[in-house]
């Protein structure tokens, strides 16, 4: 009886710890988080399966005074293979990128989406 | 002399408990606080306890490689779980059964994630890495702890 109790108690404690380190499903409806640190977009998730083939969408803030300067108001990067993306790579990845090299809006929205979830966050440089 | 050896064994247990259970657990928690999502209960708890500004300051401004960020903490957790079960129960339960219980626990955990009963995303790589870390803990403790005990028993 004692050993079953110890076994169950230990497993329960570890289970609670593991659950506490996972994103909460009740309070939020997504598994991924977009952070901007050191000029790098970092997608933080509990699992790499959240990142594979996910999409990242960048939208210039409509109320931003310089939004009209940019050719495209929306730019998306589909089929991500990594969770760490340099902003310069994302913004200036091709000629069709919304911002010319060296030019970025002060404020834009970044959205991260998987098949099931969607998360948006405004970033101010 | 028996009491002396028993005290020595207890010290050995405590030593292994600190290095193989407590230390990996604390390391794993620190890992989550530094590199994990800020949308977790543990981040909220330590944020309220220590202050969110402090947590923001301890988060490094570099990104670890994806493999480490996604899977290392799970491996450390499995290591600590197997070690704790082994240290608490290896005299009462067959050691291989302890490894089986540990594997069963984190397989069940990933299954719960798969069915969205708990937060997070089920991942096969997680399970593989947890089995590897769990086996490492099992091998290390078998190798280091059991010879100490057999010496004390023979005495």
């Amino acid at each position: 009886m004692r050993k079953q109790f110890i076994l169950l108690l230990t497993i329960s404690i570890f289970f609670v710890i593991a659950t506490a380190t996972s994103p909460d499903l009740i309070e939020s409806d997504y598994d991924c988080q977009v952070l901007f640190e050191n000029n790098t977009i970092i997608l933080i998730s509990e699992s790499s399966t959240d990142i594979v083939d996910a999409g990242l969408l960048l939208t210039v803030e409509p109320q931003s005074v310089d939004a009209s300067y940019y050719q495209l108001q929306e730019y998306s990067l589909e089929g991500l293979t990594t969770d760490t993306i340099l902003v310069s790579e994302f913004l200036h990845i091709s000629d069709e990128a919304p911002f010319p090299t060296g030019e970025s809006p002060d404020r834009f929205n970044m959205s991260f989406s998987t098949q099931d979830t969607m998360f948006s966050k405004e970033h101010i440089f | 002399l028996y009491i002396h050896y028993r005290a020595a064994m207890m010290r050995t247990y405590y030593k292994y408990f600190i290095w193989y259970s407590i230390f990996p657990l604390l390391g794993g928690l620190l890992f989550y606080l530094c590199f994990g999502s800020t949308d977790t209960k543990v981040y909220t708890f330590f944020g309220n306890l220590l202050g969110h500004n402090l947590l923001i300051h301890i988060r490094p401004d570099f990104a670890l490689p994806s493999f480490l960020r996604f899977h290392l903490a799970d491996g450390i957790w499995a290591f600590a779980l197997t070690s704790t079960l082994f240290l608490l129960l290896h005299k009462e339960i067959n050691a291989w059964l302890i490894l089986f219980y540990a594997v069963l626990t984190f397989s069940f955990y990933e299954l719960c994630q798969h069915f969205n009963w708990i937060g997070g995303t089920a991942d096969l790589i997680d399970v593989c890495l947890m089995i590897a870390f769990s086996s490492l803990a099992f091998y290390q403790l078998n190798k280091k702890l059991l010879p100490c005990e057999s010496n004390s028993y023979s005495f």
Side-chain angles (χ1 to χ4, degrees):
Chain A
M1 192 67 187
R2 181 181 162 272
K3 62 186 175 190
Q4 282 94 335
F5 175 73
I6 293 172
L7 184 70
L8 280 175
L9 185 68
T10 309
I11 288 172
S12 303
I13 290 169
F14 273 81
F15 214 91
V16 168
I17 292 171
T19 310
T21 54
S22 291
D24 196 343
L25 279 179
I26 299 164
E27 290 177 11
S28 59
D29 196 33
Y30 54 85
D31 290 342
C32 264
Q33 191 172 30
V34 183
L35 290 185
F36 181 78
E37 288 174 3
N38 204 21
N39 266 344
T40 305
I41 300 165
I42 302 170
L43 308 174
I44 291 185
S45 169
E46 202 266 340
S47 167
S48 53
T49 54
D50 291 331
I51 303 297
V52 174
D53 289 335
L56 195 61
L57 178 77
L58 181 141
T59 317
V60 179
E61 276 282 280
Q63 64 266 36
S64 174
V65 287
D66 51 3
S68 58
Y69 172 80
Y70 303 102
Q71 290 182 323
L72 299 174
Q73 302 295 305
E74 197 172 279
Y75 180 60
S76 63
L77 194 63
E78 301 296 334
L80 298 181
T81 54
T82 176
D83 65 330
T84 307
I85 305 144
L86 282 172
V87 167
S88 57
E89 286 177 14
F90 181 63
L91 300 187
H92 313 298
I93 200 162
S94 71
D95 291 340
E96 292 184 358
F99 315 122
T101 306
E103 298 280 348
S104 302
D106 294 333
R107 176 181 293 209
F108 61 79
N109 281 333
M110 283 197 304
S111 303
F112 175 77
S113 61
T114 66
Q115 284 182 338
D116 312 316
T117 58
M118 180 77 173
F119 173 58
S120 299
K121 185 164 186 164
E122 182 191 72
H123 281 273
I124 301 169
F125 287 87
Chain B
L1 277 173
Y2 172 75
I3 292 169
H4 171 74
Y5 268 91
R6 196 174 158 76
M9 276 314 298
M10 286 307 287
R11 277 199 299 274
T12 310
Y13 278 131
Y14 287 135
K15 187 181 86 177
Y16 281 114
F17 193 70
I18 288 167
W19 283 106
Y20 280 71
S21 298
I22 304 290
F23 191 68
L25 261 187
L26 292 179
L29 279 177
L30 190 65
F31 188 91
Y32 270 110
L33 291 177
C34 290
F35 299 104
S37 168
T38 55
D39 182 45
T40 58
K41 283 192 177 67
V42 79
Y43 191 91
T44 309
F45 174 77
F46 282 102
N48 292 334
L49 192 73
L50 306 170
H52 286 279
N53 283 338
L54 180 71
L55 289 192
I56 290 167
H57 278 103
I58 66 165
R59 283 177 81 89
D61 58 357
F62 60 89
L64 279 182
S66 310
F67 185 81
L68 294 181
R69 191 130 44 84
F70 287 132
H71 307 296
L72 184 67
D74 289 317
I76 295 171
W77 175 80
F79 185 94
L81 170 68
T82 310
S83 303
T84 309
L85 287 177
F86 192 95
L87 289 167
L88 290 173
L89 293 168
H90 76 281
K91 282 182 181 174
E92 301 174 57
I93 302 177
N94 183 294
W96 287 99
L97 205 57
I98 292 171
L99 184 64
F100 173 74
Y101 283 136
V103 173
L104 204 66
T105 302
F106 45 72
S107 301
F108 179 67
Y109 180 77
E110 291 291 321
L111 212 62
C112 287
Q113 287 187 327
H114 177 74
F115 290 112
N116 283 333
W117 293 336
I118 55 174
T121 308
D123 192 341
L124 194 62
I125 302 172
D126 275 349
V127 179
C128 294
L129 205 78
M130 284 194 280
I131 290 173
F133 271 74
S134 196
S135 305
L136 180 71
F138 181 78
Y139 171 76
Q140 284 288 320
L141 286 171
N142 249 323
K143 189 178 151 193
K144 292 185 175 179
L145 198 63
L146 294 186
C148 299
E149 286 182 343
S150 55
N151 286 343
S152 68
Y153 286 147
S154 62
F155 184 82

